[in-house]
Amino acid sequence: MGETQATSLNEKLRSLPSVDDVLAGHALTSMTQSLPHSMVLDAARASIEAARNALISGENIRVNAGILAEQARNSLEQTLAPSLRRVINATGVIVHTNLGRSSLAEQACQAVLEAAKSYSTLEYDVQNMQRGSRHAHCEKLICALTGAEAAIAVNNNAAAVMMVLSEFAAGHEAVVSRGELVEIGGSFRVPDIMELSNAKMVEVGTTNKTHVFDYERAVTDNTAMLLKVHTSNYRLVGFTESVTSSELHDIARGINDTRIQAGNHYELLVYEDLGSGALIDIDCNGESPEPTVASAIAQGCDLVSFSGDKLLGGPQAGIIVGSKKLIDRLKKHPLARALRLDKMTLAALEATLRIYLDPDKARQEIPTLRMLSAPADEVKKTADKLADLLKSDVADSIADITVVPEISRAGGGALPMYDIDSFAVRIDFKTGNAQECSEYLIRQNDVPVVGRIKQDSLLFDTRTIVQESELGEIAAAVNNYFTQAVQK
Ligand SMILES: *Cc1c(COP(=O)(O)O)cnc(C)c1O
């Protein structure tokens, strides 16, 4: 570094404003009035520090108290902005885990609001005017909808699996097919959960094929459970074979008979982690490719667990169903307290389950089900509306806007191979580009709009639009993008 350069850097660093000067800056006046002093002070210091580092690294920036005050205000505004915000999902992935999985039915939202605002019967039995159980609210509905004798709902399905294994298989063997030792995502891996719950995992079969005799050979006097795991986001296709729940039930019944004859009353249980947990047949393109909870119970599973916010379309929860004898043990498990649901989630779950009493109503009123079963031509109508809105704002010389056939996905690990015929609005750019536009819509728009980039186009799949007003919001945001792109 030459002497004059060094001198001029020193001069520049010396000319950095003091913290007091920055705090006195016009941009920070309202902040100093409404926020804790230390918070504004830290922001002012950080903006000076950032400017110092920029100067040292040779950046040619203009620095004065006013500019730094403005930067401090911007950073404070970012800190203060709500972090958990509404998003418009135009990806076509229905149970989008990163975007909050299921949006709730109107009735469920109302129930959450009531429970949040007032006192409630959370643990109060009105009939007997005494302490009640929070487990009581959803149990009857879950039983009615699944054919199970009893039920308990906990924080999520990962918690449900953990609780079932630690109550019924800790210190014992649990037999599971090698084809089902899956990782679901978000660090849920079947072998890890087994280890955490102290169950001894006994793997049987091969990756692609597991037979009835594999289970039969693996069972010892110390085996507590035959575990079946829905492979969810993963499919085995080709030369494959797996054992059904009803076959597992038959194996267990044979072994339990033998044990009883030998005076051993330790029961071998069949437990299925069903993952998504469809309560009714889900109609995709006229097929229903996902097993229901009722069918798993009917096949003879002693216990079944599933998520509340995947195909069920409710709040985050894990639901375990089975016989009263087994569920009662879970209700007394120490983890039941640690993993229990709060009143708002219980309210949402109860309201969602109630809608299922009329399956047609459920398909209409539960957004996840409605999106899954909406016919493609209905999705196309929404796409046409969005395209019209966009075309009225965006000139042909700026972008081509068309409606194109697309494929939506169930998401949330459900139906991974299942193509759901859909439609999307496609933008082909003559000004700007898809990458830049997508970044603008996500980062700069108050309500982030998440679409999908395909080659050089940006797609908005309208199957996952929650309400029609979102179409106008997307159009306005895209229009804003083009307005600033043209000015560049
Ligand atoms: C999704 C899933 C889980 C985890 O459920 P969460 O409700 O997300 O905790 C566990 N097992 C299977 C098979 C799943 O698909």
Side-chain angles (χ1 to χ4, degrees):
M1 196 185 281
E3 199 172 304
T4 46
Q5 268 177 312
T7 315
S8 81
L9 175 60
N10 280 335
E11 265 168 25
K12 279 185 185 165
L13 290 177
R14 265 199 302 278
S15 76
L16 279 170
S18 70
V19 175
D20 284 338
D21 288 344
V22 176
L23 285 176
H26 178 66
L28 282 178
T29 318
S30 65
M31 295 283 173
T32 43
Q33 279 161 8
S34 60
L35 293 179
H37 180 67
S38 61
M39 209 174 158
V40 187
L41 189 64
D42 285 348
R45 283 191 177 132
S47 70
I48 297 170
E49 193 54 30
R52 184 191 313 280
N53 291 335
L55 289 174
I56 289 171
S57 66
E59 280 177 51
N60 189 18
I61 53 165
R62 223 163 66 81
V63 172
N64 62 44
I67 292 173
L68 294 188
E70 231 165 80
Q71 286 167 357
R73 185 189 58 192
N74 290 346
S75 109
L76 282 168
E77 275 172 352
Q78 267 181 25
T79 311
L80 294 174
S83 171
L84 182 60
R85 286 182 291 157
R86 181 165 72 91
V87 162
I88 296 176
N89 175 10
T91 63
V93 179
I94 297 164
V95 183
H96 198 306
T97 295
N98 299 149
L99 303 182
R101 287 196 179 160
S102 286
S103 51
L104 297 178
E106 192 52 43
Q107 297 92 311
C109 298
Q110 286 306 322
V112 171
L113 199 65
E114 287 261 308
K117 272 180 147 172
S118 333
Y119 291 104
S120 63
T121 54
L122 181 63
E123 290 185 356
Y124 189 70
D125 178 345
V126 177
Q127 286 309 317
N128 296 309
M129 298 196 297
Q130 64 188 18
R131 186 185 169 152
S133 160
R134 75 173 63 213
H135 299 308
H137 303 292
C138 295
E139 186 166 12
K140 283 210 181 86
L141 284 168
I142 298 169
C143 293
L145 296 167
T146 60
E149 200 182 19
I152 179 175
V154 293
N155 182 59
N156 56 14
N157 190 32
V161 177
M162 180 70 205
M163 206 161 106
V164 169
L165 290 176
S166 61
E167 174 62 28
F168 298 107
H172 295 273
E173 290 154 10
V175 183
V176 60
S177 161
R178 289 195 170 89
E180 296 173 3
L181 289 176
V182 292
E183 172 173 319
I184 304 291
S187 77
F188 180 91
R189 296 175 129 187
V190 173
D192 296 349
I193 299 274
M194 294 275 246
E195 192 178 322
L196 200 63
S197 63
N198 272 325
K200 184 169 181 302
M201 180 170 77
V202 177
E203 304 170 34
V204 294
T206 60
T207 307
N208 57 327
K209 281 204 173 199
T210 305
H211 305 273
V212 167
F213 61 76
D214 288 318
Y215 288 92
E216 284 171 341
R217 282 180 197 161
V219 173
T220 71
D221 283 347
N222 194 35
T223 307
M225 183 179 284
L226 304 179
L227 168 64
K228 188 165 178 60
V229 183
H230 192 293
T231 53
S232 293
N233 50 7
Y234 170 80
R235 277 292 175 278
L236 279 172
V237 289
F239 187 61
T240 66
E241 193 162 325
S242 63
V243 175
T244 64
S245 306
S246 91
E247 287 169 319
L248 290 181
H249 170 73
D250 291 342
I251 300 170
R253 197 172 46 193
I255 287 163
N256 285 328
D257 287 349
T258 317
R259 283 186 184 175
I260 289 167
Q261 276 164 20
N264 173 2
H265 290 268
Y266 187 62
E267 196 183 349
L268 177 64
L269 299 174
V270 177
Y271 163 44
E272 179 160 10
D273 168 12
L274 203 55
S276 281
L279 287 182
I280 55 177
D281 283 337
I282 309 259
D283 176 1
C284 300
N285 298 347
E287 290 178 58
S288 51
E290 188 69 19
T292 62
V293 180
S295 71
I297 291 286
Q299 284 195 45
C301 289
D302 296 295
L303 291 159
V304 178
S305 74
F306 51 98
S307 289
D309 55 354
K310 290 183 178 172
L311 295 182
L312 197 153
Q316 181 191 302
I319 298 168
I320 310 165
V321 295
S323 69
K324 182 170 182 318
K325 184 183 74 181
L326 299 178
I327 298 294
D328 276 349
R329 279 173 63 182
L330 291 174
K331 286 178 182 168
K332 293 193 196 99
H333 194 289
L335 280 175
R337 170 63 205 266
L339 302 173
R340 73 186 187 183
L341 290 180
D342 83 302
K343 61 187 175 188
M344 290 179 282
T345 307
L346 274 169
L349 185 59
E350 187 190 344
T352 307
L353 292 168
R354 202 171 291 288
I355 307 173
Y356 273 100
L357 294 173
D358 178 347
D360 287 332
K361 200 167 149 202
R363 289 189 191 93
Q364 282 307 311
E365 295 180 6
I366 296 173
T368 299
L369 293 189
R370 190 172 61 225
M371 289 172 189
L372 277 165
S373 55
D377 58 356
E378 201 175 287
V379 179
K380 182 170 185 299
K381 278 185 202 145
T382 319
D384 286 337
K385 274 185 204 157
L386 176 58
D388 287 346
L389 286 173
L390 284 165
K391 280 185 206 161
S392 70
D393 286 337
V394 179
D396 290 349
S397 57
I398 288 180
D400 280 334
I401 290 153
T402 45
V403 171
V404 293
E406 260 301 317
I407 299 296
S408 303
R409 296 277 169 204
L415 311 165
M417 307 285 283
Y418 211 76
D419 292 350
I420 304 171
D421 292 336
S422 190
F423 279 90
V425 173
R426 187 174 85 193
I427 305 183
D428 290 300
F429 293 79
K430 295 174 187 168
T431 298
N433 62 63
Q435 187 64 43
E436 214 181 70
C437 181
S438 170
E439 271 177 38
Y440 181 90
L441 297 179
I442 293 169
R443 292 214 184 115
Q444 309 286 326
N445 210 47
D446 284 343
V447 179
V449 177
V450 189
R452 199 143 45 87
I453 293 176
K454 189 172 177 183
Q455 280 127 26
D456 293 327
S457 316
L458 183 56
L459 296 174
F460 301 117
D461 186 325
T462 46
R463 181 176 287 279
T464 42
I465 293 302
V466 177
Q467 51 190 353
E468 199 163 323
S469 57
E470 291 181 349
L471 301 179
E473 292 182 279
I474 298 175
V478 170
N479 190 31
N480 288 342
Y481 165 74
F482 282 119
T483 306
Q484 58 88 51
V486 167
Q487 281 163 3
K488 266 191 197 166

